[in-house]
Amino acid sequence: MVSRVIPVEPFDLVIFGGTGDLARRKILPGLFRRFCAGQMPPEARIIGAARADMDGAAYREMVAGAMEEFGGGFTCEDKTLRAFLDRLDYLAIDARGDKGWAELQEKMKGKDRIEAYYFSVSPALFGDLAERLQKWGMADKDARIVVEKPFGRDLDTAKKLNGTLAAYFNEDQIYRIDHYLGKETVQNLMAVRFGNMLFEPLWNAQYVDHIQITVAETVGVGGRGEYYDKSGAMRDMVQNHLMQLLCLIAMEPPARFDPDAVRDEKLKVIRALDPVEPHHIVRGQYQAVPMDEADHPGYRTAVGDARSRTESFMALKVHLSNWRWAGTPFYLRTGKRMSARSSEITVVFKDTPHSIFGEEAGRHRNVLSIRLQPNEGITLGVTIKEPGPGGMRLIDVPLDMTFAEALAGEAGEQVDAYERLIMDVIRGNQTLFMRGDEVEAAWTWTDPIIQGWEARNDVPKPYDSGSDGPTDSDELLRREGRAWRGVAP
Ligand code: NAD
């Protein structure tokens, strides 16, 4: 079976920040892949709009270079690339001034097609862009805007940003990107939970001992040191990506798979989160390991601040106060420069109420691991008898399914998160985008945690690059008779 590609309707997509890193690395290559897949109608137009002075030809050349650099080995016939480049145009524009706006207005005039504006610029410019889109008559009620993270750095700034956008656009026109939600396997979380009878009856505090969510990266802050140091793991990863994973794993089944039904249920999860106790918070900062310092400097060297107190690692124990989950802890963990790149959700079920095999058979638990990356798949740990004549001894074996193997020859192409999300914008489907109230609820929970450690003058614990974070993170689980699963390859 080959996956069906349904072309979207003709559209004009204006990419503000069309010369920037995100546009070159993700947005434009993603659009190109959709073009090659036949999903983009021939009439579609993509207009880069950024500060640099260049003409359309120079922009097309820049984009062609970006395809080569960031296409990830993806190839498409030369003539297809040329056909894609023909869809591109460019305008030098100033988000804070008048330059370029009359020309953009002219280009967008009188066309009967979907209009989308991607704000791939600093959030400080979101308000300027929204205001000018309205001033120049482009903020009509069918237009869509796409905004990138970070969406605020606390509740106050997120509210202001929501307020600014709401002054010019309705909520159903605003697409707040959390690219994690566009990942195939993240959507699979919903399919696994709500498409199978097997799991849902057990998906509650009565049967689940605890749940772990890990998003580990091997990379450090790289060239983003200055930005990252003002943000840290809590704002950069936990408040958005891990929170979204927590929502999908913990939410009630929505009545329908439609944007508001799904987002209403996610919002209820965020609102059910308890405040986090200080001793359930572990912050870490990676340090260089001797011999490797030249290639992989420690965090403070990388951000150029020998006294930085920003965390590159977070582990948290959190609770949800609702009927389904009261009493079941969720352990969240994310970090940079860890031992392996891995995003995984692990559901650890409780012991059987009584072991008929006696103490010597040992304690065994079912563990369901959902791997989001790499090697996407699901493993269910099942207890069986150890083979051989040694009596009734039990062992755990994995029922393992790697999606790529299970779907070999069926699934068709891999679709990158950005490709999927941009096509959803054109289709007008907001299910995989964050709603304004969701973002504010997430900050409402996050703010006191950050304020708490700031008031305590907390200094993150150092951890070796290439390890699994500070030892306090292991201790967070060990003192409760539990242990982190996974990460190390
Ligand atoms: P960048 O600095 O590489 O590019 C910024 C773009 O904005 C450039 O095209 C520049 O010309 C344009 N610009 C700047 N000032 C302007 C003005 N006054 N008028 C018009 N255009 C102006 O930034 P980036 O890394 O591409 O990031 C863009 C946005 O995406 C940011 O909000 C960032 O936080 C977010 N984001 C980036 C990444 C990433 O991997 N780069 C990941 C997630 C989110």
Side-chain angles (χ1 to χ4, degrees):
M1 187 189 78
V2 175
S3 58
R4 263 184 324 141
V5 174
I6 303 169
V8 294
E9 295 193 14
F11 65 87
D12 283 348
L13 173 67
V14 178
I15 308 174
F16 293 111
T19 59
D21 177 68
L22 184 70
R24 285 182 302 117
R25 269 191 322 112
K26 292 287 181 187
I27 303 171
L28 289 157
L31 285 163
F32 178 46
R33 283 194 289 268
R34 290 295 88 208
F35 185 80
C36 294
Q39 195 164 23
M40 203 185 286
E43 310 91 318
R45 291 191 312 166
I46 298 157
I47 302 166
R51 235 177 353 187
D53 279 315
M54 64 170 102
D55 60 13
Y59 187 62
R60 286 187 280 277
E61 204 172 301
M62 188 212 84
V63 175
M67 298 305 156
E68 206 165 294
E69 197 176 347
F70 303 113
F74 178 79
T75 51
C76 195
E77 284 176 33
D78 271 1
K79 70 174 184 349
T80 315
L81 176 59
R82 279 196 303 277
F84 174 71
L85 294 176
D86 281 347
R87 309 280 98 233
L88 300 185
D89 202 348
Y90 181 79
L91 264 179
I93 209 162
D94 183 4
R96 293 204 155 128
D98 283 338
K99 182 181 170 186
W101 287 95
E103 290 89 329
L104 183 61
Q105 184 194 43
E106 187 56 34
K107 278 188 193 296
M108 302 299 282
K109 212 159 61 192
K111 299 271 185 337
D112 183 20
R113 44 179 55 214
I114 292 159
E115 283 171 35
Y117 300 91
Y118 200 128
F119 292 10
S120 181
V121 294
S122 154
L125 297 177
F126 288 178
D128 298 291
L129 288 175
E131 188 191 328
R132 278 170 181 73
L133 281 172
Q134 193 198 45
K135 180 177 158 193
W136 293 90
M138 288 174 270
D140 57 63
K141 65 175 180 21
D142 297 322
R144 290 152 206 181
I145 59 167
V146 185
V147 295
E148 267 296 337
K149 84 167 200 183
F151 201 87
R153 56 172 285 107
D154 52 22
L155 179 60
D156 195 37
T157 47
K159 272 187 168 167
K160 282 198 181 111
L161 210 46
N162 274 335
T164 305
L165 297 181
Y168 306 103
F169 295 94
N170 296 326
E171 182 61 35
D172 65 5
Q173 297 179 275
I174 304 170
Y175 292 72
R176 293 175 194 77
I177 287 225
D178 181 331
H179 73 271
Y180 249 71
L181 287 176
K183 287 179 187 287
E184 181 80 19
T185 37
V186 172
Q187 291 170 72
N188 236 330
L189 284 178
M190 279 187 277
V192 167
R193 282 196 58 196
F194 305 131
N196 292 285
M197 194 57 201
L198 193 59
F199 301 119
E200 205 49 28
L202 306 178
W203 215 258
N204 55 55
Q206 198 185 340
Y207 294 102
V208 175
D209 178 73
H210 72 280
I211 293 180
Q212 303 180 7
I213 302 177
T214 294
V215 176
E217 299 176 286
T218 50
V219 293
V221 293
R224 293 172 70 223
E226 199 185 326
Y227 159 78
Y228 191 91
D229 201 42
K230 293 193 200 102
S231 161
M234 188 72 184
R235 290 188 170 98
D236 193 50
M237 295 296 287
V238 178
Q239 185 272 347
N240 39 60
H241 305 322
L242 274 83
M243 181 81 85
Q244 290 296 326
L245 296 180
L246 173 69
C247 286
L248 295 176
I249 210 78
M251 72 187 194
E252 295 300 318
R256 293 170 308 281
F257 188 61
D258 82 19
D260 277 329
V262 171
R263 296 187 298 177
D264 285 347
E265 294 305 337
K266 282 163 54 192
L267 181 62
K268 286 184 209 161
V269 173
I270 303 174
R271 288 188 173 154
L273 279 166
D274 286 348
V276 183
E277 307 274 341
H279 64 287
H280 290 157
I281 301 171
V282 178
R283 298 171 68 234
Q285 201 179 59
Y286 64 84
Q287 59 186 8
V289 288
M291 316 294 287
D292 192 32
E293 193 157 7
D295 288 339
H296 296 112
Y299 178 86
R300 289 179 170 184
T301 308
V303 302
D305 178 359
R307 296 155 67 97
S308 170
R309 290 186 171 189
T310 304
E311 76 286 351
S312 61
F313 174 97
M314 282 284 332
L316 297 155
K317 177 185 173 189
V318 308
H319 279 108
L320 287 168
S321 278
N322 62 20
W323 270 52
R324 186 186 282 263
W325 293 118
T328 295
F330 288 72
Y331 297 94
L332 315 182
R333 157 176 78 153
T334 183
K336 291 194 173 293
R337 296 288 294 127
M338 290 179 64
S339 62
R341 173 171 169 262
S342 156
S343 297
E344 185 159 331
I345 297 173
T346 308
V347 181
V348 180
F349 290 91
K350 289 188 172 171
D351 292 344
T352 49
H354 163 69
S355 172
I356 64 167
F357 305 110
E359 280 302 306
E360 61 279 13
R363 275 178 53 180
H364 296 268
R365 287 179 159 184
N366 296 120
V367 175
L368 177 71
S369 301
I370 305 170
R371 295 184 301 278
L372 307 176
Q373 66 182 27
N375 203 16
E376 293 89 338
I378 294 183
T379 303
L380 178 63
V382 180
T383 303
I384 59 166
K385 177 189 171 296
E386 192 178 290
M392 198 56 168
R393 281 203 301 271
L394 304 183
I395 53 165
D396 294 328
V397 292
L399 263 179
D400 196 11
M401 185 184 65
T402 298
F403 293 151
E405 286 169 16
L407 301 174
E410 290 216 5
E413 47 175 350
Q414 288 282 313
V415 179
D416 173 79
Y418 274 92
E419 290 173 54
R420 182 188 318 280
L421 293 173
I422 297 169
M423 289 299 109
D424 276 358
V425 172
I426 306 302
R427 279 189 287 252
N429 185 342
Q430 288 186 305
T431 311
L432 301 177
F433 296 83
M434 290 181 297
R435 213 166 51 188
D437 52 1
E438 240 183 288
V439 177
E440 289 184 17
W443 282 119
T444 303
W445 177 78
T446 308
D447 273 5
I449 299 173
I450 296 176
Q451 285 156 4
W453 78 55
E454 283 174 353
R456 294 191 296 277
N457 278 325
D458 184 76
V459 181
K461 299 280 186 323
Y463 63 95
D464 280 351
S465 290
S467 72
D468 286 342
T471 50
D472 284 19
S473 156
D474 297 324
E475 198 47 44
L476 182 69
L477 277 76
R478 193 179 302 130
R479 63 188 176 219
E480 292 166 353
R482 300 178 173 122
W484 289 111
R485 313 245 166 186
V487 178

